[in-house]
Amino acid sequence: MPALPVPTASASAPEAAHDNAPAFSPLYQQIKELITRSLQGGEWLPGQSIPSEMELAARFRVSQGTVRKAVDELATENLLVRRQGKGTFVATHAEERTQYRFLRLMSDAGGSPGLQRRLIGCRRQRVAADAARVLGLKSGDPVVEIRRVLLAADAPVVLDDILLPGALFKGLTAERLSAWKGPMYRLFEAEFGVRMIRAEEKIRAVAADASQAREMGVDAGAPLLSVERLSFTYGDKPVELRRGLYRTEHHHYRNELN
Amino acid sequence: MPALPVPTASASAPEAAHDNAPAFSPLYQQIKELITRSLQGGEWLPGQSIPSEMELAARFRVSQGTVRKAVDELATENLLVRRQGKGTFVATHAEERTQYRFLRLMSDAGGSPGLQRRLIGCRRQRVAADAARVLGLKSGDPVVEIRRVLLAADAPVVLDDILLPGALFKGLTAERLSAWKGPMYRLFEAEFGVRMIRAEEKIRAVAADASQAREMGVDAGAPLLSVERLSFTYGDKPVELRRGLYRTEHHHYRNELN
DNA sequence: AAGTGGTCTAGACCACCTG
DNA sequence: AGGTGGTCTAGACCACTTA
């Protein structure tokens, strides 16, 4: 006898459903939505454990199996992490096996390419029209632009240009960035409460222009891999626009198709 | 009271497990394995329906819920497709929404880029050492090499070079390929019984050499996206090595990160 | 020993499809 | 009406972790 709006069409005023509403969802999807809202609202912070399945079942007045199905899906979406015998935890960009959950760059030799970071710049400015559109900002809104290079064995491999909404990242400065050890996305979630959930990438081959060539240590016109990433937080809200240029003589972008 | 080796460690000779065997798997994983073997053995062909959950439960002497969990996982791995009210079906590379399940190329305008095919060649030869290694062949084994161009609005966009083990693709000729309408992977599964399950891709930016430039209609040295794909069939057996070169002025490779 | 997630069962009812 | 997959429940037991 759940306290939530019941999932069956017959018991839920079907006669009021002749607008284009998506009809009622199953109970476990409603639970999923409620848990997601608690995550978004900060009730449980990254790295912390959430209540046990039995507690959640009592709280939502459903059976443990229903909670289980909701948590299962949130775990496959990488919002939660289950650990047998210990509990269920809010996923974090810390640890994440040596950092870099989103960076698909691999060394040709195999394995991930231990990278060093060199910050080029971090400044606030007004967003251009095209970037404003994809980030859901108004043209001219403040943004933070970060530029940096990633190096493998002192040779440049990645040139990143990162754009973040200024309203969400007040107080993000070059000093904060330089002082931070660990994944950049960990800094974002720990210090600014912005958690990157998923991202879309558009990949191209481009020719290096003069300034890119200089920073990457290649000739102008050399082929570079362009990776344009739009990252989303809870509720599919876009919060980062990033363009990476990769040297791929000794590295490659690895992908799996299912 | 399942007829299978029971899943619990206590009931399954734990004293024999001090070698490095992975211990016993849960029942639903054993069911998964049995279903996979039936798929591999051709008991149910692509597009056909498999027995209902109740029938499978009776056949394997387990509950419907256990079969359900096994089928669920096989469905998320794209080996099976569930259709409510109708049954569960063996996945196929036919239909697959306008073909192209593995081709991640998108038009910059948005949407998939209706492509025409032009076969350049299809011939049998001996495999080179490096290709033999990744395909699990002996150096000098026969392979089929297919070369083709994909065009959007009569302009070349993709140059494909495809290598297949000759032993699995007897009778594959340029004529067969030209006559075939529909996805190439559909031809493979329907005529040769080879179903592509998953693939790994290594992506790079490269400069076009003289002959590639000619076939792609670009200048020599122009940047092209190189997509090296290794495709696997049942049992993670590699069965295709493919190298695609993409023009990315008006198209891009789309990827999603979770 | 107690608490957590993981597996398995049995049974009920719902939603969808077909004859 | 009867079959299929989809959801939900209640209860049992197992495996892993911590104290």
Side-chain angles (χ1 to χ4, degrees), chain B:
Chain B
M1 207 180 292
L4 305 163
V6 289
T8 63
S10 54
S12 59
E15 63 277 13
H18 43 57
D19 55 340
N20 281 342
F24 275 52
S25 24
L27 253 188
Y28 77 89
Q29 285 195 17
Q30 301 179 36
I31 306 294
K32 226 180 118 175
E33 178 60 29
L34 290 175
I35 295 176
T36 302
R37 261 182 234 158
S38 287
L39 288 169
Q40 184 169 7
E43 180 176 344
W44 314 302
L45 297 180
Q48 293 180 348
S49 72
I50 71 170
S52 73
E53 294 181 354
M54 290 304 287
E55 286 175 280
L56 289 174
R59 166 163 161 183
F60 296 132
R61 314 286 208 95
V62 299
S63 79
Q64 191 211 6
T66 300
V67 169
R68 184 163 188 77
K69 177 143 188 174
V71 171
D72 272 346
E73 295 206 350
L74 291 171
T76 65
E77 292 169 21
N78 294 311
L79 295 192
L80 297 176
V81 176
R82 320 192 70 141
R83 274 178 238 167
Q84 182 173 142
K86 299 179 72 173
T88 302
F89 298 78
V90 183
T92 168
H93 284 279
E95 332 140 53
E96 290 281 9
R97 61 173 99 89
T98 81
Q99 69 204 64
Y100 304 132
R101 175 171 135 217
F102 281 2
L103 183 58
R104 302 291 268 268
L105 196 70
M106 295 285 166
S107 162
D108 283 351
S112 53
L115 296 175
Q116 313 154 257
R117 284 169 287 187
R118 186 168 68 205
L119 187 62
I120 298 178
C122 172
R123 55 183 218 274
R124 309 183 83 80
Q125 55 189 62
R126 300 192 174 279
V127 69
D130 54 347
R133 192 169 4 91
V134 297
L135 282 174
L137 302 176
K138 287 192 289 291
S139 197
D141 277 358
V143 287
V144 181
E145 181 183 21
I146 302 169
R147 288 171 42 82
R148 66 168 185 177
V149 172
L150 301 180
L151 310 100
D154 294 320
V157 178
V158 177
L159 174 59
D160 267 332
D161 193 334
I162 304 168
L163 235 53
L164 303 163
L168 294 178
F169 290 86
K170 293 186 188 302
L172 177 56
T173 61
E175 291 69 38
R176 282 295 268 295
L177 274 172
S178 307
W180 184 262
K181 307 305 174 197
M184 184 183 282
Y185 284 173
R186 174 63 191 154
L187 170 68
F188 293 171
E189 79 182 20
E191 303 291 318
F192 301 94
V194 179
R195 235 190 81 67
M196 307 297 181
I197 301 300
R198 67 174 201 93
E200 299 175 355
E201 294 193 329
K202 296 181 180 180
I203 304 172
R204 291 185 170 78
V206 301
D209 68 23
S211 106
Q212 293 160 353
R214 196 179 333 111
E215 282 173 308
M216 295 293 281
V218 297
D219 294 333
L224 294 174
L225 197 70
S226 162
V227 180
E228 206 177 292
R229 177 193 300 172
L230 184 60
S231 307
F232 300 83
T233 187
Y234 297 104
D236 260 348
K237 187 185 166 197
V239 285
E240 182 200 45
L241 180 58
R242 172 188 293 224
R243 205 246 194 153
L245 287 174
Y246 301 178
R247 283 186 62 170
T248 54
E249 297 100 330
H250 304 299
H251 297 80
H252 60 268
Y253 182 107
R254 185 172 209 279
N255 200 22
E256 305 234 340
L257 308 178
N258 294 310

Side-chain angles (χ1 to χ4, degrees), chain A residues 24-53:
Chain A
F24 276 52
S25 25
L27 254 187
Y28 76 90
Q29 284 195 18
Q30 301 179 36
I31 306 294
K32 226 180 119 176
E33 180 60 29
L34 290 174
I35 295 177
T36 301
R37 263 183 231 157
S38 288
L39 288 169
Q40 183 169 8
E43 180 175 344
W44 313 302
L45 297 181
Q48 292 179 349
S49 73
I50 72 171
S52 74
E53 293 181 354

Side-chain angles (χ1 to χ4, degrees), chain A residues 7 26-28 62-63 65-66 69 84-86:
Chain A
L27 254 187
Y28 76 90
V62 300
S63 79
T66 300
K69 178 143 186 174
Q84 182 173 146
K86 300 180 72 174

